Amino acid sequence: MTFKELDISEPILKALVKKEYASPTPVQEQAIPVALKGCDLLGIAQTGTGKTAAFAIPIIQQLSRPAPKGTERNIQALILTPTRELAIQINECVSDYAKYTTGLRHTVIFGGVNQHPQVDALKRGIDILIATPGRLLDLIQQKHITLKHVKHFVLDEADRMLDMGFIHDIKRILPLLPKQKQTLFFSATMPQAIANLSKSILNRPVRVEVTPESSVVDTIEQRLYFVEKPQKSQLLVDILQKKRRSVLVFSRTKHGADKIARALNRQGIGCEAIHGNKTQGARQRALTNFKAGKTHVIIATDIAARGIDIANLEMVINYDLPDVAETYVHRIGRTGRAGNGGTALTFCSQEEYAIVKDIQKLTGRKLNTVAGSI
């Protein structure tokens, strides 16, 4: 199937050609026609499946019709997402897809930075707002934002919203939206709390599920190293000295991420850490350096890594195992994207083995144990 067969408008098709998008991914193929019809949608899709385009393209197409002259410009679409990095990424995608449309304005707001440039953009008038919950509520309270004209509402990464404690913020935002609107709800996993939330805000939704919760991309080679905590640092150094490539290393804690970064830099392996305690500027510089190839390794916590979208990330390393098995699936899905191959390495100490058993049970696969170093 081609994008043209999805009844996408010519200006957007031109932008997709510019982006070198050959054909829609499964989630785009299923979700775009549903969204273009104005139906509510429940999407179960992991990051890396192309879901940003699945909701952004229909919204852009529906809002790009010229408004009557003299019409006041109001926020007509709200895209709510959990992290600053993901909000910035979605805003960049909207810019790309709307490149050849006329008269459509959008902006992104998030915390951790001065609000004045964001407020100035809002005052100029926008059609599409991409936001994180905290800053959105702040600016609503300050009366810089009203949501009463919203026609399209996207709740992205709903499960991560729950993990990050944003569920109460979401429940404060929902009553501020019009009852009559289109809602597009996306989540990588569907725990009971998220299922209950989706039922409360969706109206007869069409369900789109491109992969089961436990699925692991077939193109990812998974390897398991049994190594105790004191030896993890040296193993990581050995691997990275032999395999200089784009690598994302997961740490369980912010302190741990900084510690790993310092250890690698002492060994001459250029890397940077990103986590919630880093300033927005520092996080963006680290991501920019990584994407540009100035550094080949980035250390991240799960929350900070949620917004990382690297098209050709070759390797993910689980320096620390996550607390729950589902997070492992999400982590390794950062590599092996868009049909590319990828490698996922997992360091497992004796006390972490219970999580490995949970992962193998969830995915239905036994991880390949490696003796020695690669």
Side-chain angles (χ1 to χ4, degrees):
M1 175 172 278
T2 65
F3 282 105
K4 194 165 187 177
E5 292 175 88
L6 297 178
D7 291 325
I8 294 171
S9 65
E10 284 300 325
I12 298 175
L13 287 174
K14 185 178 177 182
L16 296 178
V17 170
K18 179 82 172 176
K19 290 283 291 178
E20 299 183 350
Y21 286 5
S23 57
T25 66
V27 70
Q28 292 162 4
E29 186 176 325
Q30 294 180 54
I32 288 174
V34 171
L36 284 174
K37 288 178 183 176
C39 300
D40 281 10
L41 184 144
L42 174 61
I44 315 298
Q46 295 173 350
T47 299
T49 55
K51 62 183 172 60
T52 299
F55 62 72
I57 288 172
I59 288 173
I60 293 167
Q61 181 155 322
Q62 291 176 87
L63 295 183
S64 58
R65 302 182 183 97
K69 196 171 182 179
T71 303
E72 184 181 356
R73 191 182 292 270
N74 296 300
I75 297 168
Q76 298 182 72
L78 171 65
I79 301 171
L80 198 61
T81 194
T83 68
R84 295 174 282 188
E85 285 79 15
L86 192 53
I88 291 168
Q89 175 190 316
I90 293 171
N91 189 56
E92 290 172 351
C93 289
V94 171
S95 290
D96 291 338
Y97 307 148
K99 185 178 181 70
Y100 301 107
T101 60
T102 55
L104 199 61
R105 294 184 192 170
H106 60 92
T107 196
V108 58
I109 63 171
F110 46 82
V113 296
N114 190 311
Q115 74 173 39
H116 295 303
Q118 298 175 3
V119 171
D120 289 343
L122 292 165
K123 286 179 178 176
R124 289 192 291 270
I126 61 162
D127 303 290
I128 301 173
L129 177 64
I130 301 102
T132 55
R135 179 53 60 93
L136 176 63
L137 283 169
D138 285 346
L139 296 186
I140 289 173
Q141 190 172 22
Q142 296 174 44
K143 303 193 182 304
H144 293 302
I145 291 175
T146 176
L147 302 180
K148 64 183 181 181
H149 300 286
V150 168
K151 298 175 183 176
H152 309 277
F153 172 52
V154 178
L155 185 61
D156 191 27
E157 303 276 7
D159 53 346
R160 182 55 61 180
M161 292 276 198
L162 180 68
D163 290 346
M164 294 175 66
F166 286 139
I167 195 74
H168 299 296
D169 287 346
I170 293 169
K171 288 180 177 178
R172 289 174 60 195
I173 292 165
L174 292 175
L176 305 177
L177 294 161
K179 288 186 178 179
Q180 295 298 319
K181 63 184 178 302
Q182 179 186 42
T183 300
L184 308 177
F185 186 108
F186 286 88
S187 186
T189 60
M190 192 55 59
Q192 191 58 48
I194 295 300
N196 293 341
L197 178 64
S198 70
K199 288 175 184 176
S200 71
I201 68 174
L202 293 170
N203 178 31
R204 297 166 62 187
V206 176
R207 184 183 177 104
V208 170
E209 185 169 2
V210 295
T211 52
E213 289 181 18
S214 61
S215 70
V216 176
V217 181
D218 291 334
T219 55
I220 300 173
E221 181 183 355
Q222 300 172 69
R223 305 178 198 165
L224 175 66
Y225 290 78
F226 287 110
V227 55
E228 294 309 315
K229 280 187 177 181
Q231 283 75 52
K232 283 187 177 185
S233 180
Q234 188 56 53
L235 175 59
L236 182 62
V237 168
D238 291 344
I239 290 170
L240 295 178
Q241 285 179 336
K242 293 178 182 178
K243 303 286 184 179
R244 287 299 180 96
R245 58 177 82 183
S246 61
V247 183
L248 171 59
V249 180
F250 279 99
S251 166
R252 184 183 289 115
T253 67
K254 302 167 190 175
H255 172 73
D258 286 335
K259 186 177 178 181
I260 295 166
R262 287 194 298 269
L264 292 180
N265 281 310
R266 281 197 299 268
Q267 295 293 326
I269 299 170
C271 70
E272 294 181 80
I274 63 169
H275 51 68
N277 285 353
K278 297 281 187 179
T279 65
Q280 178 61 27
R283 288 159 73 168
Q284 281 305 117
R285 280 194 300 275
L287 285 173
T288 299
N289 289 339
F290 187 62
K291 289 179 179 181
K294 293 180 180 177
T295 55
H296 298 288
V297 182
I298 199 161
I299 321 296
T301 56
D302 285 304
I303 288 176
R306 194 72 172 200
I308 296 175
D309 183 21
I310 309 296
N312 297 307
L313 181 67
E314 296 183 41
M315 179 180 283
V316 167
I317 298 179
N318 294 297
Y319 188 92
D320 299 312
L321 275 155
D323 294 324
V324 294
E326 288 84 358
T327 302
Y328 169 86
V329 175
H330 182 83
R331 282 182 178 186
I332 73 166
R334 294 287 164 187
T335 186
R337 295 157 78 94
N340 295 318
T343 303
L345 310 183
T346 296
F347 297 175
C348 177
S349 64
Q350 188 172 354
E351 63 190 54
E352 293 173 305
Y353 186 57
I355 294 294
V356 168
K357 290 196 289 186
D358 289 343
I359 290 167
Q360 292 179 150
K361 182 179 178 181
L362 177 70
T363 62
R365 298 188 184 191
K366 182 175 174 58
L367 300 183
N368 297 320
T369 304
V370 178
S373 167
I374 63 171

